[in-house]
């Protein structure tokens, strides 16, 4: 099933989706729970994004003004492709247990933390980490313009 939802002034809450999700909120938070998908694309102009129990291949989440907190299912794919960005708010991302691939964490005005074993291949600083976890085809890119970034 492919789900497309759009709200100009209000929150979006979706759960138990199998297929793909294309969600947009102009002025409200987005909540996603227990979703299994090929593609998840959600955007909020003024609101936080929270998701739990995600299982899928590709995640793209953007918040213009609000934090983003994502918890993938531990059984999610090792080759997950995730791109998560908040302009004004922190990003907290829990990857699938078996994730392996490229990692790029960036907090323009904040700090970067990780609980995962990243092999640093390019750079490391208080607000930037780039490297790999294991040997795989996955990719996680987490970015905050004004807030901290944490990968678990």
């Amino acid at each position: 099933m492919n789900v497309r939802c759009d709200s100009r002034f209000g929150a979006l809450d979706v759960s138990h989706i199998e297929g793909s999700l294309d969600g947009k909120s102009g002025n409200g938070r987005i909540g996603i729970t227990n979703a299994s998908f090929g593609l998840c694309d959600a955007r909020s102009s003024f609101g936080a994004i929270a998701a739990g129990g995600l299982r899928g291949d590709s995640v793209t989440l953007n918040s213009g003004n609000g934090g983003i907190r994502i918890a993938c299912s531990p059984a999610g794919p090792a080759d997950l492709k995730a791109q998560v960005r908040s302009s004004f708010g922190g990003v907290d991302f829990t990857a699938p247990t078996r994730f392996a691939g490229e990692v790029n964490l960036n907090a323009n005005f904040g700090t970067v933390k990780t609980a995962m074993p990243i092999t640093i291949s390019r750079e490391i600083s208080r607000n930037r980490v780039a490297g790999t976890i294991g040997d795989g085809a996955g990719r996680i890119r987490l970015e905050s313009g004004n807030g901290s970034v944490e990968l678990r």
Side-chain angles (χ1 to χ4, degrees):
M1 169 194 330
N2 296 324
V3 175
R4 182 183 170 110
C5 43
D6 189 348
S7 172
R8 293 180 190 207
F9 293 99
L12 292 177
D13 284 304
V14 293
S15 65
H16 298 89
I17 293 175
E18 291 191 27
S20 68
L21 171 65
D22 181 1
K24 183 171 121 181
S25 175
N27 194 8
R29 66 172 178 73
I30 297 176
I32 306 166
T33 54
N34 299 321
S36 180
F37 50 82
L39 172 65
C40 177
D41 186 356
R43 301 160 306 285
S44 176
S45 296
F46 292 97
I49 299 175
L54 296 185
R55 297 172 309 281
D57 299 327
S58 178
V59 178
T60 302
L61 303 169
N62 290 290
S63 175
N65 195 0
I68 300 176
R69 179 178 288 269
I70 306 302
C72 294
S73 168
D79 62 347
L80 171 71
K81 309 289 190 279
Q83 184 165 331
V84 180
R85 182 179 192 333
S86 174
S87 295
F88 292 98
V91 174
D92 188 319
F93 190 92
T94 302
T97 304
R98 300 176 301 130
F99 174 82
E102 179 184 328
V103 176
N104 192 324
L105 312 174
N106 185 23
N108 291 333
F109 292 100
T111 58
V112 169
K113 296 179 186 177
T114 182
M116 298 187 77
I118 298 175
T119 301
I120 305 302
S121 60
R122 288 175 287 213
E123 60 184 281
I124 183 171
S125 70
R126 178 175 94 63
N127 61 346
R128 185 172 304 224
V129 172
T132 58
I133 295 173
D135 185 24
R139 184 176 59 246
I140 294 176
R141 180 178 180 89
L142 308 178
E143 185 175 356
S144 175
N146 193 3
S148 293
V149 169
E150 184 163 0
L151 175 63
R152 302 170 199 260

